Amino acid sequence: MSNINFSNCQIMKIIYSIFFFFILISASLSAENGSKLWLRYQSASSTKVSLAQFSSIVCLEDGDILRSGANELKMAYSEMTGKEMPTSGVPQSNSLLLGTLHNKYIRSLNIGKELAQLGSEGFVIRRVKLNADSCTVIASAGEQGVLYGAFYLLRLLQTNTYSSNINVKEHPSYKVRILNHWDNLDGSVERGYAGHSIWKWDELPATISPRYAEYARANASIGINATVLNNVNASPKMLSTENLLKVKAIAAVLRPYNIRVYLSINFSSPKELGGLSTSDPLNPDVRKWWKNKAAEVYKLIPDFGGFLVKANSEGLPGPMDYGRTHVDGANMLADALKPFSGIVMWRAFVYEPGDDRVKLAYNEFHKFDGQFRDNVIIQVKNGPVDFQPREPFSPLFGAMKKTALMPELQITQEYLGQSNHLVFLSSMWEEFLDTDTHAAGDGTTISKLTTGEVYPQKITAFAGVANIGDDANWCGHHFAQANWYAFGRLAWNNQLSSEQIADEWIKMTFTSPPIPLLKERGVRDSSLLSIKKMMLTSHQTAVDYMMPLGLHHIFAWTHHYGPEPWCDIIGARPDWLPKYYHKADSIGLGFDRTTNGSNAVGQYCSPLREQFNDVSQCPEKYLLWFHHVPWDYRMNDGKTMWDELCYTYDKGVQSVREYQKIWDKAESFVDAQRFAEVQSKLRIQARDAVWWKDACLLYFQTFSKRPIPYDIERPVHDLDSLKAIKLDLKHHN
Ligand code: GCV
């Protein structure tokens, strides 16, 4: 027992101090719904440097887009300092200058050539001497670059990586960095797991939701400059004058953030909406209808981007309905858009039954190489099937040398646990971009091909199917925000590492309380590092517990959420059923796509086709994609294929359990609401991982007739009870 005596007054002081300490702690850990995304500046006040170091902000010229950048800086300044940012008309010592080559101060810096090379969206941020004063400048050839430079500077401050002798030079990898919303006019979102559509068609154009501007800010902050507002399964009504007026209203909110609006169109619009008797692309009335429609659109929205088209795919109409080709369809639309500098993004997601499904898009498209207009770009999903947990790249990349091609990635996690599983997709996209296609010799990576470095492309673009809805946290899962963030960052710079992207996102998103404060409280850096590690391994983990070793499309028929490798639906298209893909039998597992099988390997360039064709050289992550492999085939580590399958599923389950521990340990530095919400999603993910493991292993065991190795966790389900699961789709779809 201590013998120190306190007076009443001292005791009161201690009580007050404890009370205020708890108030402070609880304020910094106050409930947070995630709606601010990564745009949090409040904490920067306690980082090494903040915007307060600048004596004033000087906008050297006027312009809506430049003003958005300046406003963001001013808002951040207020959040960081609690004061208004001083503004000035002329540069002073230590000002932050924003301007383009139109301004004499920027011209006097002699960086005109450099800025011209970086283009109107590129920028420099630099410490410069103007007369006798030292200032920091965000300069660009166009006001768009100033906007991106402002966000870049803020990111440096948010992540504590700003240095006072800053010298940054940036320009985007792709011209069009575009989100594809699969949002319908009735407010539903196809494959959307974050609530309803953010576009409130019923209230537009009279009511403008404040979310539109928030959406624009968030996209601009990561360099996204385009958006397709509606589903590729498009309603012809989208192009009605009434709806175009609503699109015009959205475009007006997005424009100051340098975001152009695009629309998905239904190929039958001339017939369905225009009342014509046909939508044949070679029919003069149809061509005229599209020209007039394009003129109407551009009259309302002069900077309209163009059309995205899903044609002759999954039951949608297209040129083939009239005996025409993809070229006829795409070029007709391109001609209508050409006078207004609009573009057509024509999707290659087609699979008319016939051959092995993975070969169909290549079969249909590569023969048209060189025949599309120069304002057409072919939008190709990363893999040859459909956004599976892991696919080899689509062989169309590298095969079409005289046609502009753009990747389509899926940010919404249709096949990766939807908004319940923590899966950081950046690693998968990085793997895809870094893949060497060998199309023009070694080093012909997809990133080089799609930026036009190998075969020049007039248009370059990078598309991602959005995971955004009207949920408070935008994406359904707090960590799904990281996928939106990563998509934008990779579209801006396709050489960024996932590690850097994760690092930025964590620091910008979980800044409450700020990192330095955490350190004072003794929260070790290791928590942040563990979260980063969790993110970086999470894609492989999901592959491990869902579809390891090249397995694919063994999902439940309707919802694409859980496993149903046994699924059989009488009368269904065979290539919509899991058995088509896994081909399990008493001999082994996997699809033979070698020269002895469907010869899909033949669509890849040498030496990939030989590697994929040879079971001993094929990367094990694609083994069952390309080969029907005997159950007792020896893997590189000496295990049989069956044992490897079992251990890999188990590894996936164990990894999710590790994630739960990592997250629980991070409780002290994450606000209560986001902590609890992620914790509860990880519990679902852990249960789902076991569901996947048990379903797949117990089902495949009926063919392999081998024991599940005894040192791994035993199944906790019966196969029959798993087969009986029918999800309530309202929750999942
Ligand atoms: C928009 C998959 C999805 C569909 C989607 C389609 C596409 O098949 O399940 O919901 O339709 O891809 O990309 O067109």
Side-chain angles (χ1 to χ4, degrees):
M1 182 82 174
S2 151
N3 57 359
I4 302 171
N5 288 321
F6 291 108
S7 67
N8 278 353
C9 178
Q10 279 172 316
I11 289 173
M12 283 316 285
K13 268 193 188 161
I14 291 170
I15 291 176
Y16 276 131
S17 314
I18 293 174
F19 178 73
F20 281 116
F21 177 73
F22 279 111
I23 296 263
L24 267 178
I25 296 264
S26 56
S28 58
L29 292 182
S30 63
E32 258 274 16
N33 61 13
S35 58
K36 289 187 192 158
L37 297 162
W38 48 88
L39 296 167
R40 295 153 192 271
Y41 306 122
Q42 76 280 13
S43 59
S45 56
S46 53
T47 55
K48 277 189 296 193
V49 275
S50 88
L51 280 177
Q53 70 185 292
F54 299 113
S55 60
S56 63
I57 182 168
V58 186
C59 287
L60 295 173
E61 59 211 77
D62 207 14
D64 288 346
I65 296 177
L66 192 140
R67 205 172 314 116
S68 298
N71 286 344
E72 193 72 24
L73 289 164
K74 289 181 196 166
M75 190 169 70
Y77 186 98
S78 310
E79 284 187 30
M80 287 171 182
T81 65
K83 296 184 209 136
E84 234 178 78
M85 189 168 197
T87 53
S88 162
V90 285
Q92 300 162 327
S93 174
N94 219 17
S95 294
L96 178 61
L97 311 180
L98 273 53
T100 73
L101 282 174
H102 292 122
N103 179 269
K104 63 175 182 197
Y105 291 110
I106 302 292
R107 281 200 301 275
S108 74
L109 297 173
N110 264 336
I111 51 172
K113 204 164 158 206
E114 196 181 356
L115 292 184
Q117 270 168 3
L118 294 172
S120 60
E121 294 188 320
F123 59 85
V124 300
I125 310 179
R126 204 165 273 171
R127 200 71 190 153
V128 292
K129 270 246 177 288
L130 259 186
N131 305 324
D133 296 326
S134 280
C135 299
T136 300
V137 67
I138 304 179
S140 169
E143 55 173 338
Q144 299 91 330
V146 179
L147 171 72
Y148 297 132
F151 278 112
Y152 192 100
L153 176 70
L154 286 168
R155 183 182 310 119
L156 294 180
L157 295 170
Q158 286 172 286
T159 54
N160 235 343
T161 47
Y162 177 85
S163 118
S164 54
N165 55 357
I166 185 166
N167 189 358
V168 169
K169 197 167 154 172
E170 286 273 319
H171 71 103
S173 298
Y174 298 93
K175 278 189 198 155
V176 183
R177 306 174 293 279
I178 189 163
L179 287 179
N180 288 186
H181 287 268
W182 285 356
D183 295 21
N184 301 310
L185 287 168
D186 65 2
S188 62
V189 181
E190 182 156 348
R191 313 301 176 186
Y193 313 103
H196 288 97
S197 172
I198 52 164
W199 315 122
K200 303 296 171 200
W201 298 109
D202 289 350
E203 2 174 298
L204 281 160
T207 305
I208 305 289
S209 154
R211 271 238 155 166
Y212 305 159
E214 290 305 306
Y215 167 89
R217 264 181 79 214
N219 281 319
S221 76
I222 48 178
I224 290 173
N225 67 356
T227 181
V228 184
L229 300 180
N230 63 319
N231 193 351
V232 286
N233 291 330
S235 160
K237 288 194 196 116
M238 191 68 245
L239 290 179
S240 70
T241 305
E242 189 190 347
N243 281 324
L244 290 177
L245 287 167
K246 301 178 188 212
V247 174
K248 176 186 168 159
I250 296 175
V253 183
L254 307 190
R255 188 170 296 117
Y257 287 90
N258 193 37
I259 297 170
R260 281 185 182 213
V261 160
Y262 291 66
L263 290 176
S264 296
I265 59 103
N266 182 299
F267 201 79
S268 258
S269 299
K271 199 168 154 191
E272 309 289 330
L273 182 69
L276 302 191
S277 60
T278 176
S279 293
D280 179 350
L282 298 193
N283 178 295
D285 291 338
V286 171
R287 298 176 76 85
K288 196 164 150 221
W289 189 88
W290 280 112
K291 281 190 184 223
N292 290 342
K293 193 43 90 178
E296 182 189 351
V297 172
Y298 279 91
K299 196 160 176 223
L300 293 170
I301 311 157
D303 58 352
F304 181 75
F307 295 145
L308 171 62
V309 195
K310 173 172 176 179
N312 291 116
S313 166
E314 300 190 326
L316 283 167
M320 270 115 104
D321 303 348
Y322 305 96
R324 312 300 182 194
T325 66
H326 289 289
V327 176
D328 297 328
N331 286 353
M332 171 200 57
L333 294 170
D335 291 344
L337 294 170
K338 183 83 178 176
F340 313 99
S341 308
I343 66 167
V344 176
M345 293 168 292
W346 190 269
R347 293 175 93 226
F349 179 64
V350 293
Y351 53 101
E352 280 306 296
D355 206 340
D356 170 5
R357 173 163 168 192
V358 308
K359 294 169 67 186
L360 297 173
Y362 180 101
N363 288 349
E364 255 187 68
F365 272 85
H366 89 284
K367 59 186 181 222
F368 295 130
D369 193 18
Q371 297 183 39
F372 291 97
R373 298 275 195 268
D374 67 0
N375 60 334
V376 174
I377 185 162
I378 306 300
Q379 181 164 312
V380 185
K381 290 190 181 182
N382 58 295
V385 173
D386 186 10
F387 301 136
Q388 294 303 291
R390 175 176 271 132
E391 297 191 29
F393 68 94
S394 163
L396 274 172
F397 293 106
M400 298 185 76
K401 304 179 185 356
K402 289 176 275 173
T403 305
L405 247 59
M406 62 189 278
E408 175 179 326
L409 308 174
Q410 195 181 45
I411 313 172
T412 191
Q413 292 166 235
E414 173 180 0
Y415 295 104
L416 277 156
Q418 301 174 5
S419 57
N420 280 341
H421 294 198
L422 188 161
V423 185
F424 183 49
L425 301 175
S426 184
S427 331
M428 172 168 67
W429 300 332
E430 189 183 349
E431 178 177 301
F432 162 71
L433 286 165
D434 288 350
T435 304
D436 190 349
T437 65
H438 297 273
D442 292 354
T444 317
T445 58
I446 294 192
S447 60
K448 283 192 187 152
L449 278 167
T450 52
T451 47
E453 278 171 66
V454 184
Y455 309 117
Q457 292 192 185
K458 206 167 159 209
I459 318 166
T460 60
F462 197 68
V465 180
N467 62 349
I468 297 163
D470 67 0
D471 273 5
N473 71 15
W474 297 86
C475 303
H477 191 308
H478 292 288
F479 276 79
Q481 297 178 353
N483 293 329
W484 177 8
Y485 182 84
F487 169 77
R489 295 291 285 130
L490 284 172
W492 178 269
N493 178 355
N494 69 5
Q495 297 303 300
L496 284 179
S497 71
S498 298
E499 166 150 29
Q500 177 176 339
I501 296 172
D503 195 77
E504 288 173 7
W505 180 81
I506 294 168
K507 288 179 177 156
M508 294 163 80
T509 305
F510 293 110
T511 51
S512 178
I515 293 158
L517 195 62
L518 291 173
K519 287 197 185 141
E520 273 166 37
R521 282 203 215 138
V523 176
R524 283 165 303 134
D525 269 347
S526 62
S527 267
L528 297 174
L529 287 177
S530 305
I531 291 179
K532 184 156 73 179
K533 196 165 149 215
M534 162 171 87
M535 289 173 75
L536 292 174
T537 53
S538 61
H539 171 248
Q540 182 61 49
T541 292
V543 171
D544 287 348
Y545 65 70
M546 283 184 176
M547 285 170 230
L549 306 182
L551 283 173
H552 50 290
H553 230 320
I554 54 176
F555 290 96
W557 160 259
T558 41
H559 48 73
H560 296 168
Y561 181 78
E564 245 180 44
W566 50 80
C567 176
D568 228 346
I569 291 184
I570 296 159
R573 257 181 82 151
D575 60 0
W576 280 356
L577 295 173
K579 289 179 180 172
Y580 174 91
Y581 297 97
H582 65 64
K583 304 233 184 294
D585 59 20
S586 60
I587 297 167
L589 182 65
F591 198 130
D592 184 358
R593 296 193 162 111
T594 66
T595 42
N596 297 324
S598 78
N599 195 24
V601 293
Q603 294 183 336
Y604 291 92
C605 296
S606 287
L608 286 184
R609 72 162 63 129
E610 292 79 12
Q611 267 171 28
F612 291 159
N613 196 48
D614 176 351
V615 72
S616 67
Q617 283 188 58
C618 181
E620 289 190 342
K621 61 184 177 185
Y622 302 137
L623 191 66
L624 305 176
W625 184 283
F626 287 114
H627 296 270
H628 189 67
V629 178
W631 296 109
D632 54 7
Y633 170 82
R634 287 285 156 195
M635 306 289 290
N636 290 338
D637 62 6
K639 292 194 188 83
T640 64
M641 184 271 279
W642 166 250
D643 281 358
E644 185 79 20
L645 196 70
C646 296
Y647 281 109
T648 312
Y649 271 105
D650 190 57
K651 186 165 149 256
V653 171
Q654 300 311 327
S655 301
V656 181
R657 300 218 169 110
E658 276 309 307
Y659 298 167
Q660 289 185 282
K661 291 180 201 156
I662 289 172
W663 190 249
D664 283 355
K665 267 196 224 160
E667 180 167 9
S668 53
F669 77 88
V670 180
D671 49 278
Q673 184 174 341
R674 287 188 296 173
F675 174 77
E677 286 170 358
V678 172
Q679 185 184 54
S680 124
K681 296 262 176 172
L682 280 169
R683 286 177 186 160
I684 298 175
Q685 187 171 357
R687 288 195 293 272
D688 286 349
V690 176
W691 175 24
W692 271 99
K693 165 178 167 272
D694 286 1
C696 296
L697 292 184
L698 291 174
Y699 172 71
F700 290 136
Q701 193 179 35
T702 64
F703 298 93
S704 80
K705 310 272 187 229
R706 282 156 173 78
I708 294 173
Y710 297 108
D711 53 343
I712 69 171
E713 196 174 285
R714 314 320 294 160
V716 293
H717 301 98
D718 299 319
L719 187 55
D720 287 341
S721 64
L722 292 174
K723 284 186 177 178
I725 292 179
K726 293 283 168 254
L727 287 186
D728 174 359
L729 297 183
K730 270 182 240 112
H731 290 306
H732 291 282
N733 243 348

